Amino acid sequence: MDLKKLLNEKQYEAVETINGPVLVLAGAGSGKTRVLTYRIANMIQNYNIYPSNILAITFTNKAAQEMRERVKNLIGDEIEVGSMWISTFHSTCVRILRREIDKLGYNKNFTIYDSYDSKTLIKQCMKELNINDKDITDREIASKIGSCKDAFISARQYKLENEKNFRENKIADVYELYQRKLKENNALDFDDLIYKTVELFKKNEDVLGFYQRKFKYIMVDEYQDTNGSQYLLTKLLASEHKNLFVVGDDDQSIYGWRGADIKNILDFEKDYEDAKIIKLEENYRSKANILDAANSVIGNNPHKHLKTLRTNNESGEKIKIYRAHSDKDEADFVCNEMDNIIKDKNKKYNDFAILYRTNAQSRLFEEKFLSRGIPYRLIGGLKFYDRKEIKDIMSYLKVINNSLDSVALERIINVPKRNIGDTTVNKLKEYAEYTELPLFSAVLDCETIPTLTPRATTSINKFASLMSSFMRKKDEIKVSELIDEVIKETGYVEELKKSNAPEDVSRIENLKELVSAAVEFEKNNEDKSLAAFLELNTLNSDVDNYDEDADAVVLMTVHSAKGLEFPVVYMVGMENGIFPGTASFDSQTEMEESRRLCYVGITRAKEMLYMTHADYRMVYGKTVSYAPSDFISEINKDLKEYIGVEKKKFVGETGNSKFKGFSGFNTRSNGSFGIASSKPKANSGEKSVLDPDTATIGLKVRHQKFGEGTIVSLSKKEEGTYATIAFMSNGVKVLRLDIAPLQLA
């Protein structure tokens, strides 16, 4: 490989820097995957480094697979690539724990709980501790436990830190009981995979030493998205040789809400004083106008690592800003524009992506696409493995693989119905707790439980016999054959066939698809065991299943789009209160992360970028009107054009109220937002009459007859100024401001 010809100057420097700590600040579209793959190939071919001494960590299975394929193509040796660890944090940790977790008192065939299983177990713990979910929700407790594990805070430590806080103390009690029950079930939740690996290393110096010697060269992608436990894991592994090569971009740190700590990348030089910093600032993805728009937005955030993306690409079209009358108009506009671009520019449906801030925003677009016959793929909707019938069969497989998994066992003990009702299950659980045995042991010993009826005992014995036969076969037949047998022998499909419900027909199809997924797994994986199949599907994310070749429009959140790129991108719902969200107006830190998220969204576009917002939309069943997003106003004027409507002077671009999300912004208890008038509010008990000259789009007003509403558009005519007002209870009205009885709300 002639690396100097294949790479630009900074990419070459990164690829050739082999030893010592290195931080590569890689801007969007600057070729970081190219750097990572060429560096691995260079290390193996030109520096004779054993592939097994290299650990490369990414954040998605899709990225890991892509990296493996690229390295294989570069070095042409599949065996060498196979001996190297290229995987996600979680997959890396599972691989270590499958070998070593017995040192923490677990069996190596542990189950990995998904969010549904975790919530089920948390609810059990809450019930046992008499915690009312009206006082503290299972969602709040799950979030708190996850945050603790991300920061490597144990249940005991959390309880000690919150002894004087009644609420937090209750959460700590659930956390402690939850961890104990996980261990009894020989199960780990998703956050445990990294947490327990760090715990393993901290408690077993010999185990840590082995992996430190094995992984002499460590590479971490998307370092800005690492949390506390991931940071500790990386630091522990790299502390022996200090050959740590991390790639990231502080401008793309967008996962603070799920534990990512931007300090990990900002403080890299403090952790490794002799670290080398390399900046990749040449963008190969986007047209110049799109890149300049991204730079102008992110420039409003404070920077520790200064860098400016540049490109040799042509300017391209300006950013198109569309102001819709309503959210339905917004969806219609997107559909019409796509049709026009497909005709005029010879594009396909998979050239388009609709990006939004929250999953709830997809509904209107899905309805429009369905009515107009536009094929689409929804990333982040109901996952295949979240469907009831799939979770049922997967729970059978979990118990077959790990009989200690009481959560999975409780789910399927009476599915399909076999006369083992809740009363019987509770008696089994009471016996298990009394004898301090797993629930499946109680199932096997059911004849010795005096509280069970003969009928219940017969049903339980049949179930135990069925499960035991599956367990005997699990190592003798393929996973696909085992799934097929479970579906048939349990009578699951027969019960669905008896149903007249149309959704049960599709459930049967989904079960066939599960068998197909297992066949595909057997073709593509060296480890074809049941444990590996369960593991793979627990660790998969939505983006891992995204098929770039499918000719369909992609609908996804901006968070899900990170790492992807599309010729044409629509960023919809660009309004204050949606993007940025409400929390951003109370916190500078939140606003900065929202701005980074906007930067990520903009830089997904290669050729064309649209930003749309609406005069009013339905949110939680109410008509609301939000001001255009601050982020639109932060894009330089010469980089954007307003289309589809008469050019209007948008609030936030007058120079008087470019409020950075804080000054002049009213938050109402009903969730609607508007720009505050410069005229001061009347004293308590008085009402301030609206002055037509101070009326602005987004202003909250009150009418004697129509009640409270929001100005969504203004039109000046010879006889006076007319306002289109969306009233909360009386729809949209057009009123002349100098004669209408309007007051400031």
Side-chain angles (χ1 to χ4, degrees):
M1 294 183 295
D2 189 345
L3 292 174
K4 285 191 175 180
K5 287 185 178 179
L6 293 166
L7 306 166
N8 68 33
E9 182 182 347
K10 289 297 179 181
Q11 290 175 337
Y12 177 77
E13 183 183 359
V15 167
E16 275 294 316
T17 307
I18 304 300
N19 296 305
V22 181
L23 168 61
V24 176
L25 292 167
S30 62
K32 68 181 178 68
T33 306
R34 187 177 183 84
V35 165
L36 286 164
T37 51
Y38 273 93
R39 186 173 188 268
I40 293 170
N42 187 35
M43 291 164 72
I44 295 170
Q45 289 195 328
N46 298 329
Y47 287 87
N48 297 317
I49 292 170
Y50 289 112
S52 58
N53 290 147
I54 299 171
L55 171 65
I57 297 176
T58 69
F59 266 79
T60 66
N61 290 309
K62 184 180 177 68
Q65 182 59 34
E66 181 186 348
M67 195 180 294
R68 268 193 296 270
E69 288 298 318
R70 287 204 197 183
V71 172
K72 185 175 74 176
N73 291 336
L74 288 173
I75 66 175
D77 192 328
E78 193 167 346
I79 295 174
E80 286 194 337
V81 174
S83 68
M84 191 170 55
W85 287 34
I86 302 178
S87 61
T88 64
F89 268 108
H90 291 94
S91 296
T92 297
C93 289
V94 168
R95 199 167 173 182
I96 293 170
L97 292 172
R98 288 289 179 208
R99 297 178 179 183
E100 316 286 355
I101 200 170
D102 56 320
K103 297 172 180 65
L104 294 177
Y106 291 77
N107 294 336
K108 293 180 180 180
N109 66 331
F110 60 85
T111 299
I112 303 169
Y113 278 2
D114 60 18
S115 58
Y116 178 88
D117 298 327
S118 297
K119 287 262 184 83
T120 301
L121 190 57
I122 285 171
K123 285 178 181 177
Q124 288 180 15
C125 295
M126 290 171 68
K127 187 176 180 181
E128 207 167 303
L129 294 168
N130 294 315
I131 294 174
N132 192 323
D133 61 4
K134 291 180 180 176
D135 299 325
I136 310 174
T137 66
D138 59 283
R139 184 175 181 178
E140 180 185 351
I141 294 173
S143 175
K144 188 69 73 173
I145 291 173
S147 297
C148 284
K149 291 182 180 181
D150 286 345
F152 198 70
I153 298 172
S154 68
R156 171 48 67 196
Q157 182 184 345
Y158 184 65
K159 188 166 179 65
L160 290 173
E161 289 174 357
N162 294 279
E163 280 183 312
K164 296 180 181 178
N165 186 314
F166 179 81
R167 187 182 187 82
E168 300 298 322
N169 222 294
K170 287 290 184 185
I171 294 174
D173 289 340
V174 178
Y175 186 7
E176 284 189 311
L177 181 58
Y178 172 70
Q179 288 305 115
R180 190 161 71 245
K181 284 185 175 291
L182 278 173
K183 193 166 187 178
E184 288 172 1
N185 290 353
N186 193 38
L188 303 179
D189 66 19
F190 204 64
D191 297 312
D192 270 332
L193 298 177
I194 297 168
Y195 183 96
K196 288 295 178 184
T197 307
V198 174
E199 182 183 334
L200 172 74
F201 287 162
K202 282 180 171 284
K203 289 183 176 179
N204 298 271
E205 288 186 11
D206 56 330
V207 176
L208 174 60
F210 171 80
Y211 288 99
Q212 285 175 335
R213 291 188 296 274
K214 175 175 175 56
F215 299 127
K216 293 179 181 177
Y217 300 90
I218 299 169
M219 303 166 71
V220 182
D221 191 12
E222 305 285 10
Y223 193 66
Q224 78 281 348
D225 292 332
T226 52
N227 61 35
S229 291
Q230 291 164 338
Y231 166 82
L232 280 173
L233 177 72
T234 305
K235 195 167 187 181
L236 284 167
L237 286 172
S239 59
E240 177 73 18
H241 299 286
K242 294 186 170 55
N243 294 324
L244 177 62
F245 184 92
V246 303
V247 182
D249 181 6
D250 45 316
D251 287 336
Q252 296 188 71
S253 179
I254 59 173
Y255 294 110
W257 52 277
R258 71 179 190 194
D261 190 347
I262 195 172
K263 290 179 182 176
N264 294 346
I265 192 168
L266 294 178
D267 294 345
F268 188 80
E269 295 146 277
K270 290 182 182 177
D271 292 330
Y272 304 93
E273 292 181 0
D274 56 341
K276 185 172 186 176
I277 311 297
I278 301 170
K279 297 179 182 179
L280 304 183
E281 297 175 293
E282 185 170 351
N283 177 284
Y284 293 92
R285 176 190 298 154
S286 304
K287 300 290 187 184
N289 281 341
I290 293 172
L291 198 60
D292 290 343
N295 285 333
S296 63
V297 171
I298 202 64
N300 288 276
N301 269 2
H303 285 64
K304 184 166 182 182
H305 292 302
L306 292 173
K307 66 181 184 309
T308 303
L309 284 182
R310 60 185 184 277
T311 184
N312 291 321
N313 293 337
E314 61 186 25
S315 295
E317 299 186 33
K318 291 184 177 183
I319 315 306
K320 293 173 171 56
I321 313 296
Y322 178 73
R323 183 186 186 88
H325 180 57
S326 67
D327 45 3
K328 291 182 179 179
D329 174 35
E330 181 182 49
D332 275 327
F333 167 77
V334 169
C335 291
N336 292 336
E337 281 295 296
M338 283 198 303
D339 284 344
N340 292 336
I341 293 171
I342 288 171
K343 291 172 187 172
D344 298 341
K345 298 182 183 291
N346 196 29
K347 296 292 185 187
K348 297 186 295 183
Y349 284 117
N350 62 2
D351 290 325
F352 298 89
I354 318 295
L355 306 184
Y356 35 76
R357 181 70 180 79
T358 63
N359 278 310
Q361 291 170 257
S362 72
R363 182 185 62 83
L364 275 176
F365 291 95
E366 290 187 75
E367 289 175 359
K368 291 291 182 186
F369 288 175
L370 286 169
S371 67
R372 296 173 66 148
I374 297 174
Y376 71 91
R377 293 199 58 190
L378 181 66
I379 308 296
L382 182 64
K383 301 179 194 174
F384 178 75
Y385 288 94
D386 282 345
R387 291 176 168 90
K388 179 190 180 300
E389 62 277 11
I390 303 302
K391 288 193 75 68
D392 286 344
I393 301 304
M394 292 295 281
S395 291
Y396 271 100
L397 299 180
K398 287 177 181 178
V399 178
I400 293 166
N401 183 63
N402 170 26
S403 63
L404 298 178
D405 188 348
S406 62
V407 170
L409 176 58
E410 203 172 331
R411 181 184 178 101
I412 50 95
I413 195 169
N414 198 38
V415 176
K417 293 187 184 305
R418 48 174 67 92
N419 299 317
I420 307 176
D422 291 344
T423 303
T424 301
V425 173
N426 286 333
K427 289 176 181 178
L428 288 169
K429 287 167 72 175
E430 287 168 6
Y431 178 81
E433 287 170 14
Y434 177 75
T435 57
E436 297 184 348
L437 290 170
L439 184 58
F440 192 70
S441 295
V443 169
L444 295 175
D445 296 342
C446 65
E447 291 181 353
T448 65
I449 303 175
T451 55
L452 291 174
T453 65
R455 184 186 180 195
T457 302
T458 300
S459 298
I460 295 167
N461 275 330
K462 286 181 180 178
F463 172 71
S465 176
L466 184 68
M467 294 305 294
S468 296
S469 70
F470 292 148
M471 290 172 184
R472 286 193 297 271
K473 292 176 183 176
K474 83 176 175 80
D475 295 322
E476 299 171 1
I477 60 178
K478 295 177 181 178
V479 174
S480 56
E481 294 169 346
L482 180 62
I483 293 171
D484 195 45
E485 189 154 324
V486 168
I487 291 170
K488 289 175 181 174
E489 295 300 319
T490 58
Y492 198 100
V493 170
E494 288 305 312
E495 189 168 273
L496 290 176
K497 285 179 178 177
K498 291 175 188 174
S499 168
N500 294 320
E503 62 267 23
D504 286 339
V505 175
S506 63
R507 283 180 174 155
I508 294 171
E509 294 302 315
N510 287 337
L511 291 173
K512 291 177 182 177
E513 183 61 28
L514 180 62
V515 176
S516 299
V519 171
E520 194 70 22
F521 157 79
E522 290 156 3
K523 286 180 183 175
N524 298 328
N525 291 272
E526 191 176 330
D527 183 354
K528 305 181 191 305
S529 66
L530 175 59
F533 177 73
L534 292 169
E535 191 177 290
L536 182 70
N537 291 305
T538 305
L539 298 180
N540 254 352
S541 68
D542 285 332
V543 176
D544 291 327
N545 300 317
Y546 165 56
D547 180 4
E548 295 173 358
D549 296 325
D551 190 20
V553 179
V554 177
L555 287 164
M556 61 168 65
T557 63
V558 185
H559 281 103
S560 297
K562 191 164 178 290
L564 302 176
E565 57 184 46
F566 306 89
V568 185
V569 168
Y570 295 85
M571 293 178 68
V572 299
M574 295 299 297
E575 296 149 34
N576 287 333
I578 298 178
F579 198 173
T582 56
S584 298
F585 296 98
D586 298 319
S587 164
Q588 184 69 30
T589 301
E590 292 276 357
M591 182 59 81
E592 288 172 12
E593 178 150 327
S594 287
R595 191 172 281 112
R596 292 194 293 269
L597 185 63
C598 183
Y599 172 84
V600 167
I602 292 171
T603 53
R604 298 313 92 198
K606 296 166 69 176
E607 300 170 20
M608 299 177 70
L609 173 65
Y610 289 78
M611 287 181 161
T612 67
H613 54 99
D615 285 341
Y616 65 92
R617 68 177 65 243
M618 291 291 289
V619 176
Y620 297 118
K622 291 184 177 180
T623 301
V624 298
S625 179
Y626 296 146
S629 172
D630 282 7
F631 301 146
I632 292 176
S633 69
E634 290 177 354
I635 297 173
N636 294 340
K637 289 183 179 180
D638 59 344
L639 297 174
K640 60 192 174 187
E641 61 176 330
Y642 297 98
I643 62 171
V645 292
E646 177 190 353
K647 292 182 182 178
K648 299 175 182 177
K649 202 164 196 178
F650 284 81
V651 176
E653 295 197 8
T654 62
N656 298 322
S657 56
K658 191 173 182 185
F659 41 83
K660 304 291 185 192
F662 292 96
S663 62
F665 205 77
N666 281 344
T667 306
R668 301 292 180 194
S669 60
N670 63 16
S672 57
F673 288 75
I675 304 303
S677 169
S678 57
K679 185 174 180 177
K681 282 276 187 180
N683 292 329
S684 179
E686 300 177 11
K687 282 291 181 179
S688 179
V689 178
L690 177 65
D691 180 349
D693 293 334
T694 64
T696 56
I697 293 168
L699 186 66
K700 299 292 294 182
V701 295
R702 183 177 295 279
H703 188 275
Q704 290 175 0
K705 179 180 178 182
F706 304 132
E708 192 171 301
T710 305
I711 297 177
V712 296
S713 70
L714 292 166
S715 175
K716 286 193 176 181
K717 296 188 178 179
E718 203 171 304
E719 65 273 20
T721 301
Y722 287 82
T724 302
I725 304 172
F727 288 99
M728 297 298 291
S729 305
N730 287 283
V732 179
K733 311 287 183 187
V734 179
L735 303 175
R736 206 173 106 188
L737 293 181
D738 59 332
I739 59 174
L742 290 169
Q743 296 174 322
L744 294 177

